[in-house]
Amino acid sequence: MHVLMVGAGGVGDAAARIAAERPYFDSWVVADYDVTRAERTVAAVAGRDVGESRFSAAQVDASDAEAVAALAREVGATHVFNAVDPRFVMPIFEGARAAGADYLDMAMSLSRRHPTEPYAKVGVKLGDEQLAQADAWETDGRLALVGIGVEPGLSDVFARYAADHLFSEIDELGTRDGANLVIRDEDGNEVFAPGFSMWTIIEECLNPPVVWERDRAVGADGEYDVEAGFFTLPAFSEPEVFDFPGGIGPVECVHVEHEEVLLMPRWVDAKKVTFKYGLGEEMISILRTLHTLGLDRTDPVSVKGVEVSPRDVVAAVLPDPVTIGPRMEGRTCAGLWVTGTGKDGQPRRTYLYHVSDNADTMRDYDAQCVVWQTAVNPVVALELLADGTWAGAGVLGPEAFDAVPFLDLLAAPKPEGYGSPWGLEDR
């Protein structure tokens, strides 16, 4: 296996550090628009293992599909791993296919701003542009494994596992994400610093969230259409307090637009699919203010003769998520809340989850826990693809594959696995 990873930000850097411990690939090219960032990641990996020679750095413009394809051909990539933010999904996705390589990402192609009125029919959804090319990828015999981060990604693997091994009927697949993370300044005071890309947070949280219900997918004529089951709610709607494990405790979660809702109904049978995220009052207030001021806009505005995107400016003035690890404390939890009927015919309510502790990830990988928890999952998936445990063609979500090998490999102690256990709570 020869991997071309596009992006040397926080997640890409963490992914390279995790992958360096595994023997399953022959080469791993770290590519970034700023080649010095790619070189820094390669140097960090080499510094951890003096004998490590599988990694190299390259420059690429992720917005240019032809440039991605040319680099993939040049380095002989069998797999293109997208580790940049979702606005670059389509050029990397199309560049990989043009080069005859398989593809993985952790976030899908962008949606278009949905109608704001409740229960409206959605417009262009997350991943629609990629899923529209599924037949072409299948015809080529190539695989695009989409949404294989932590959320989406591990939560989708949990959905497959719940359907296959825990439930005979599922009422709701509800992704629930929360944390007790704190970032401090040099004087020990708490400061505002998002754990991942602020550009992406704005994109996810200010677009009206999408929910899926099976009853809506069945028409009056009895015909089933998965697309008819999607509808919108207002941003930050239906708050609920969810009790997270791992010492995190109760966190208020709200609806957020996310890929799980768009992926799970396509491969897992459930009555309802939702995503709720523990944003916190401060983040919600900041997001609403940014929207009110127009600072969430992506179209450029002229500032003293210079064209700039307001959202790019907001992201640029905040700390880079890759730099905040040493000042971060706490844990983050990603998981799936599943309700329905168990295999024994009795009502069941189960939370499948994965907790990442910043102290652990900083100690072992010099990566803050939010980016590490995202990065480990595509590295596990690549290993399963390398040994043929997972195989397929087309544009597929994680739900399309057997969950057990993934969860076993993730949890198995090193060196056999990744030494990162997941948990299950019946409530």
Side-chain angles (χ1 to χ4, degrees), residues 214-381:
R214 186 168 64 195
D215 286 350
R216 292 171 175 268
V218 180
D221 57 359
E223 291 294 316
Y224 177 82
D225 176 11
V226 68
E227 298 293 338
F230 297 108
F231 63 95
T232 65
L233 291 174
F236 316 122
S237 61
E238 298 184 353
E240 68 171 88
V241 176
F242 192 85
D243 191 10
F244 289 93
I248 296 172
V251 177
E252 184 178 86
C253 300
V254 295
H255 281 293
V256 170
E257 182 192 36
H258 228 251
E259 287 91 342
E260 290 91 331
V261 177
L262 289 311
L263 286 172
M264 290 179 185
R266 302 178 190 279
W267 287 281
V268 181
D269 187 18
K271 295 179 182 178
K272 185 175 183 177
V273 184
T274 61
F275 178 96
K276 288 188 178 181
Y277 185 30
L279 286 171
E281 292 182 8
E282 181 183 32
M283 176 66 83
I284 291 174
S285 176
I286 288 170
L287 288 167
R288 283 178 167 152
T289 300
L290 291 174
H291 180 62
T292 300
L293 297 175
L295 293 173
D296 60 326
R297 293 169 52 189
T298 58
D299 50 307
V301 298
S302 179
V303 181
K304 297 182 178 180
V306 179
E307 295 290 313
V308 295
S309 159
R311 193 188 300 185
D312 286 346
V313 173
V314 171
V317 299
L318 289 168
D320 185 338
V322 76
T323 68
I324 64 175
R327 298 184 285 129
M328 180 183 282
E329 302 170 5
R331 298 172 177 175
T332 183
C333 179
L336 184 70
W337 175 236
V338 190
T339 61
T341 304
K343 294 293 187 182
D344 60 359
Q346 298 299 309
R348 183 166 189 172
R349 296 155 59 89
T350 302
Y351 186 56
L352 300 99
Y353 65 91
H354 182 267
V355 174
S356 180
D357 189 316
N358 193 67
D360 294 339
T361 61
M362 287 299 299
R363 180 192 65 235
D364 297 339
Y365 295 94
D366 197 24
Q368 53 103 328
C369 61
V370 177
V371 299
W372 185 92
Q373 190 183 44
T374 303
V376 68
N377 297 289
V379 179
V380 174

Side-chain angles (χ1 to χ4, degrees), residues 90-282:
M90 289 311 295
I92 300 173
F93 175 80
E94 292 171 346
R97 181 176 168 232
D102 287 354
Y103 168 90
L104 297 88
D105 64 32
M106 296 167 284
M108 297 176 68
S109 59
L110 293 175
S111 61
R112 305 294 182 266
R113 191 56 61 94
H114 303 305
T116 56
E117 62 271 18
Y119 301 100
K121 184 177 180 180
V122 299
V124 177
K125 305 182 298 302
L126 292 169
D128 274 358
E129 291 182 84
Q130 290 173 283
L131 291 166
Q133 297 188 28
D135 289 346
W137 280 78
E138 187 169 7
T139 298
D140 291 348
R142 301 259 60 91
L143 171 65
L145 174 50
V146 295
I148 186 62
V150 61
E151 290 177 342
L154 182 57
S155 50
D156 303 74
V157 173
F158 284 149
R160 177 80 275 153
Y161 182 81
D164 289 348
H165 301 283
L166 305 180
F167 288 81
S168 59
E169 184 176 42
I170 295 174
D171 292 333
E172 181 176 352
L173 294 168
T175 305
R176 299 293 184 266
D177 184 326
N180 62 358
L181 297 171
V182 174
I183 296 93
R184 302 188 185 278
D185 63 17
E186 291 77 5
D187 298 321
N189 302 309
E190 288 191 32
V191 296
F192 177 77
F196 63 102
S197 165
M198 189 62 186
W199 198 100
T200 304
I201 292 173
I202 294 171
E203 180 68 24
E204 292 178 349
C205 298
L206 287 178
N207 206 11
V210 176
V211 175
W212 185 87
E213 291 182 355
R214 186 168 64 195
D215 286 350
R216 292 171 175 268
V218 180
D221 57 359
E223 291 294 316
Y224 177 82
D225 176 11
V226 68
E227 298 293 338
F230 297 108
F231 63 95
T232 65
L233 291 174
F236 316 122
S237 61
E238 298 184 353
E240 68 171 88
V241 176
F242 192 85
D243 191 10
F244 289 93
I248 296 172
V251 177
E252 184 178 86
C253 300
V254 295
H255 281 293
V256 170
E257 182 192 36
H258 228 251
E259 287 91 342
E260 290 91 331
V261 177
L262 289 311
L263 286 172
M264 290 179 185
R266 302 178 190 279
W267 287 281
V268 181
D269 187 18
K271 295 179 182 178
K272 185 175 183 177
V273 184
T274 61
F275 178 96
K276 288 188 178 181
Y277 185 30
L279 286 171
E281 292 182 8
E282 181 183 32

